[in-house]
């Protein structure tokens, strides 16, 4: 099969609200992004995934869309978008938009009509059900805590919202909804965008009969029981046939609850559905058995290795992997799996980057990850903006499962706001993000961790990412090589090989701040060092704290 452009791409994710403010209102915007496109090009990434910029009341910071074909007022105008798109293309950067069509905002005109009466033509654009036994139609819970059903006085019925109550789920079983979505997608593609990241696209086909599910610690059944529903692939194949197949796109499904088997359909190399998917198994590897993501778990490297290796080997030759540690929903990987200690932070950031970027699949770099940005030192629940963190904290706190102190500790490790503090451009006021008051506080460590300083320093995390990205462009063994995990049981070492014909890579990653003993396999003893995070070669038989080395033979 001939190589697709996105199989050698490295994607840069922008969360517009926190990337660059251009008018001093403390909120990132489109002109701000346009002013930073050269930086993204300099890093070497060739595609941008733009989190939503559509009109929105910002109940979930843009993932609640009230007009799919207009721009959010705080971010600018459609003219600003067109300028950004044109400049991006002139720099050789592609733009992939965030498509949020499992749900809309409750302020979308479709929903305003739908909720107005039972016989309104838009009624069946959404999912309405009669209550049961004086309560909700079933025991499904929202991702943000509480029930997934909201009672609506006007017509005395409940509507489904797997996320916030201001994000009513669209009814994908209604062919008119699919027509509306496909027409809107085509409108954006006609403007020249280069693909879509599809928000919770695995949830669009709800289970037949809307059965109750197993109740979790929050008192409801997980929204993920809607994943991979009965018509999921039928709808995606229809989308592909009617829209996607007419263009040369990167499409990535954010597929909560996806399994390896399901991914073979979603991301099939035959081009029948999407280019690739974001899976979450590796993101759940450190979850607490009761509180899930909402408690700090201990690192379990063998489990993380098993998951990532299963996806590397399971999709080989059948479907395409995405590769990510960070995004706008995840805590910063340096704080999660690396070290914030000054002497180790950059070493661990480079090690984590190497571990991911030497794998098979398309890597995603989230804004600030290329600098080794870290979580924020929250001190109070009141500082938190994220609707998901707050909703789940309140649900657990009310059930006596989490004290306020535990809540703050949880926020420090887990809140999505850790990824949403402003991009750290320089060591000046507000890290150069805004001349005003930022909507979320800038991490005080921007005086040490910022783009301006790292662009000038050859051994910075920024320049290390540049090298990794350039290697992917250059070496077929990184793009297409066979993956094999070594030392599966080792608690601190993540070691694997990639082989393609006579060429091979040995990727060694020490996920600890301890010195580790490790003997290089004979096949790589005389191999050259392709990239490493220490300036000098590793001492024979040893690995230093957070050390990573990639050996290349053939
Ligand atoms: O996230 C959907 C999703 O799967 C969430 O459960 C996500 O994994 C969780 O936030 C991680 O803690 C998408 C968007 O990425 C997220 O920002 C939105 O809040 C959500 O959908 C609703 O649109
Ligand atoms: Ca602004």
């Amino acid at each position: 099969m001939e190589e697709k452009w996105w199989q050698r791409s490295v994607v840069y994710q922008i969360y517009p609200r926190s990337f660059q403010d251009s008018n001093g209102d403390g909120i990132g915007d489109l002109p701000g992004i346009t002013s930073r496109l050269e930086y993204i090009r300099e890093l070497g990434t060739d595609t941008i995934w733009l989190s939503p910029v559509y009109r929105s009341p910002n109940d979930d910071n843009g993932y609640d869309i009230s007009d799919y074909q207009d721009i959010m007022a705080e971010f600018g105008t459609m003219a600003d978008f067109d300028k950004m798109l044109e400049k991006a293309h002139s720099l050789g950067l592609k733009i992939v938009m965030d498509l949020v069509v499992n749900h809309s905002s409750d302020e979308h005109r479709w929903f305003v009509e739908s909720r107005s009466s039972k016989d309104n033509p838009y009624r069946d654009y959404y999912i309405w059900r009669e209550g049961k036994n004086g309560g909700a139609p079933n025991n499904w819970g929202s991702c943000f805590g509480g029930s997934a059903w909201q009672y609506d006085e006007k017509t005395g019925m409940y509507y489904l919202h797997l996320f916030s109550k201001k994000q009513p789920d669209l009814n994908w079983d209604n062919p008119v909804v699919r027509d509306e979505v496909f027409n809107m997608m085509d409108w954006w593609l006609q403007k020249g965008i280069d693909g879509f990241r599809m928000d919770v696209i695995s949830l669009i086909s709800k289970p037949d009969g809307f059965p109750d599910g197993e109740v979790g610690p929050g008192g409801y059944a997980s929204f993920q029981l809607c994943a991979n529903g009965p018509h999921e692939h039928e709808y995606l194949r229809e989308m592909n046939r009617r829209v996607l197949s007419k263009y040369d796109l990167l499409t990535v499904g954010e597929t909560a609850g996806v399994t390896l088997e399901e991914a073979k359909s979603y991301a099939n190399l035959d081009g029948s559905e999407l280019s690739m998917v974001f899976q979450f198994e590796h993101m759940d590897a450190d979850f607490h058995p009761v509180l899930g993501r909402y408690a700090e778990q201990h690192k379990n490297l063998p489990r993380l290795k098993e998951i990532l290796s299963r996806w590397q080997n399971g999709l080989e030759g059948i479907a395409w992997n995405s590769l990510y540690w960070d995004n706008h929903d995840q805590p910063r990987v340096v704080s999660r799996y690396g070290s914030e200690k000054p002497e180790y932070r950059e070493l661990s950031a480079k090690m984590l980057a190497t571990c991911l970027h030497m794998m098979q699949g398309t890597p995603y770099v989230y804004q600030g990850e290329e600098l080794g940005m870290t979580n924020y030192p929250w001190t109070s629940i009141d500082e938190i903006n994220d609707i998901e963190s707050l909703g789940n904290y309140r649900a657990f706190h009310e059930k006596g499962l989490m004290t306020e102190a535990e809540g703050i500790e949880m926020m420090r490790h887990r809140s999505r706001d850790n990824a949403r503090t402003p991009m750290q451009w320089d060591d000046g006021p507000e890290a150069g993000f805004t001349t005003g008051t930022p909507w979320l506080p800038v991490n005080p460590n921007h005086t040490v961790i910022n783009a301006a300083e790292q662009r000038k320093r050859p051994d910075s995390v920024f320049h290390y990412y540049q090298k990794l990205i350039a290697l992917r462009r250059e070496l077929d063994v990184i793009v297409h090589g066979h993956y094999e995990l070594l030392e599966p049981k080792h608690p601190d070492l993540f070691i694997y090989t990639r082989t393609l014909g006579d060429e091979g890579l040995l990727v060694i990653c020490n996920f600890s701040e301890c010195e580790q003993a490790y003997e290089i396999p004979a096949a790589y003893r005389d191999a050259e060092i392709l990239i490493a995070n220490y300036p000098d070669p590793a001492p024979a038989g040893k690995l230093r704290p957070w050390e990573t080395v990639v050996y290349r033979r053939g």
Side-chain angles (χ1 to χ4, degrees):
M1 212 167 283
E2 105 284 350
E3 187 179 294
K4 303 279 188 223
W5 63 266
W6 37 264
Q7 290 179 312
R8 208 172 283 258
S9 281
V10 179
V11 182
Y12 190 85
Q13 182 195 354
I14 292 177
Y15 191 70
R17 199 171 187 81
S18 308
F19 191 63
Q20 178 65 69
D21 175 23
S22 72
N23 61 353
D25 66 357
I27 298 172
D29 48 51
L30 287 167
I33 293 171
T34 302
S35 72
R36 294 291 185 181
L37 291 174
E38 284 85 356
Y39 168 85
I40 295 168
R41 182 75 269 184
E42 182 189 342
L43 179 62
T45 44
D46 58 283
T47 301
I48 292 169
W49 154 23
L50 194 58
S51 276
V53 295
Y54 317 97
R55 186 168 292 283
S56 164
N58 284 306
D59 191 54
D60 187 14
N61 291 350
Y63 282 89
D64 48 319
I65 296 168
S66 54
D67 187 337
Y68 287 96
Q69 292 174 239
D70 198 359
I71 299 296
M72 185 189 306
E74 292 101 322
F75 289 172
T77 63
M78 189 58 83
D80 292 326
F81 175 86
D82 293 340
K83 271 191 214 118
M84 180 209 62
L85 182 64
E86 186 188 357
K87 181 173 177 186
H89 283 168
S90 73
L91 291 171
L93 291 167
K94 294 180 184 284
I95 299 285
V96 168
M97 298 280 278
D98 212 315
L99 183 73
V100 188
V101 289
N102 171 70
H103 48 269
S104 75
S105 164
D106 66 345
E107 298 182 26
H108 194 292
R109 65 181 177 78
W110 296 340
F111 189 73
V112 174
E113 290 287 337
S114 178
R115 78 186 324 172
S116 67
S117 73
K118 288 184 182 178
D119 54 9
N120 183 289
Y122 289 87
R123 185 69 172 180
D124 286 342
Y125 273 47
Y126 296 87
I127 298 171
W128 295 92
R129 290 291 186 280
E130 300 291 350
K132 201 165 70 177
N133 309 326
N138 67 24
N139 69 358
W140 296 0
S142 157
C143 174
F144 299 160
S147 170
W149 295 95
Q150 177 62 33
Y151 182 71
D152 207 50
E153 290 286 344
K154 190 82 186 325
T155 58
M157 291 177 77
Y158 289 80
Y159 66 84
L160 179 68
H161 61 88
L162 296 181
F163 294 93
S164 89
K165 63 177 183 293
K166 284 182 67 62
Q167 292 169 292
D169 280 56
L170 283 161
N171 174 16
W172 272 75
D173 295 334
N174 181 347
V176 177
V177 166
R178 300 201 298 274
D179 290 345
E180 293 270 18
V181 170
F182 297 161
N183 290 336
M184 174 270 290
M185 291 172 70
D186 207 56
W187 185 84
W188 280 102
L189 291 166
Q190 289 294 319
K191 284 178 73 72
I193 65 167
D194 304 287
F196 291 107
R197 175 266 187 185
M198 300 187 190
D199 190 65
V200 289
I201 202 69
S202 55
L203 304 179
I204 59 175
S205 171
K206 302 336 186 207
D208 292 333
F210 285 58
D212 278 346
E214 186 189 333
V215 174
Y220 296 92
S222 166
F223 72 100
Q224 298 219 3
L225 59 76
C226 290
N228 316 312
H231 302 286
E232 179 67 42
H233 298 292
E234 175 195 329
Y235 295 159
L236 282 184
R237 286 166 187 266
E238 182 186 353
M239 178 195 286
N240 185 295
R241 198 175 53 252
R242 292 177 57 180
V243 185
L244 305 179
S245 56
K246 295 189 310 188
Y247 304 87
D248 183 12
L249 306 174
L250 183 162
T251 53
V252 51
E254 188 218 20
T255 43
V258 71
T259 60
L260 181 64
E261 279 317 300
E262 287 287 340
K264 291 176 182 175
S265 300
Y266 282 111
N268 195 306
L269 284 169
D270 68 5
S272 54
E273 294 188 25
L274 306 176
S275 313
M276 63 193 88
V277 293
F278 290 134
Q279 56 98 0
F280 286 82
E281 284 186 51
H282 67 310
M283 287 288 112
D284 301 353
D286 56 354
F287 272 13
H288 187 279
V290 174
L291 299 178
R293 76 175 270 120
Y294 290 100
E296 176 55 6
Q297 255 293 56
H298 301 297
K299 255 185 264 185
N300 180 338
L301 190 66
R303 176 161 154 66
L304 185 67
K305 294 193 285 189
E306 185 279 325
I307 291 167
L308 288 170
S309 303
R310 181 159 34 86
W311 280 81
Q312 286 288 297
N313 294 137
L315 293 191
E316 183 178 357
I318 301 167
W320 198 255
N321 274 295
S322 70
L323 303 170
Y324 73 98
W325 292 130
D326 282 357
N327 60 40
H328 64 289
D329 291 334
Q330 298 297 336
R332 294 275 179 182
V333 70
V334 166
S335 302
R336 185 177 197 171
Y337 281 114
S339 171
E340 293 185 0
K341 291 181 181 173
E343 65 272 31
Y344 293 141
R345 182 178 52 73
E346 290 212 340
L347 280 170
S348 69
K350 293 172 183 176
M351 181 280 290
L352 290 161
T354 307
C355 180
L356 195 77
H357 282 252
M358 289 295 112
M359 285 188 184
Q360 186 282 329
T362 299
Y364 288 72
V365 179
Y366 177 64
Q367 66 184 47
E369 179 185 341
E370 77 279 8
L371 304 176
M373 277 177 62
T374 63
N375 287 350
Y376 185 91
W378 309 107
T379 56
S380 154
I381 300 287
D382 299 338
E383 294 178 296
I384 299 297
N385 167 277
D386 175 23
I387 185 172
E388 177 184 83
S389 307
L390 292 171
N392 284 284
Y393 164 69
R394 288 182 189 124
F396 291 134
H397 188 60
E398 280 159 16
K399 289 185 173 309
L401 290 170
M402 188 179 280
T403 65
E404 181 163 358
E406 286 166 338
I408 294 165
E409 189 58 16
M410 177 270 284
M411 297 297 178
R412 282 206 197 103
H413 289 293
R414 297 299 197 183
S415 176
R416 302 191 301 180
D417 278 350
N418 287 303
R420 301 172 179 189
T421 60
M423 178 70 179
Q424 294 169 197
W425 293 108
D426 58 43
D427 62 1
E430 308 304 355
F433 164 71
T434 180
T435 55
T437 305
W439 70 281
L440 206 58
V442 169
N443 196 314
N445 68 16
H446 75 278
T447 53
V448 175
I449 305 172
N450 64 76
E453 188 276 329
Q454 292 199 27
R455 287 170 78 184
K456 288 190 296 240
R457 179 164 47 92
D459 71 342
S460 66
V461 180
F462 176 87
H463 285 299
Y464 192 90
Y465 265 84
Q466 256 184 343
K467 287 189 201 112
L468 284 174
I469 294 165
L471 284 172
R472 176 169 294 270
R473 250 238 226 299
E474 180 198 331
L475 299 180
D476 290 350
V477 65
I478 295 175
V479 181
H480 299 295
H482 173 68
Y483 170 99
E484 187 181 343
L485 178 68
L486 308 184
E487 310 283 348
K489 299 254 183 293
H490 200 293
D492 294 309
L493 297 184
F494 195 149
I495 301 175
Y496 62 86
T497 57
R498 301 289 308 281
T499 47
L500 185 67
D502 297 336
E503 202 171 357
L505 301 179
L506 172 67
V507 183
I508 301 170
C509 303
N510 180 0
F511 269 67
S512 77
E513 65 175 50
C514 308
E515 193 174 90
Q516 303 285 345
Y518 179 67
E519 288 303 332
I520 307 289
Y524 287 89
R525 219 147 279 149
D526 303 328
E528 62 160 325
I529 292 179
L530 185 66
I531 190 168
N533 63 351
Y534 276 81
D536 52 346
K542 288 200 181 323
L543 288 169
R544 292 162 285 191
W546 304 106
E547 182 155 22
T548 187
V549 191
V550 180
Y551 290 95
R552 179 189 185 196
R553 64 171 174 74

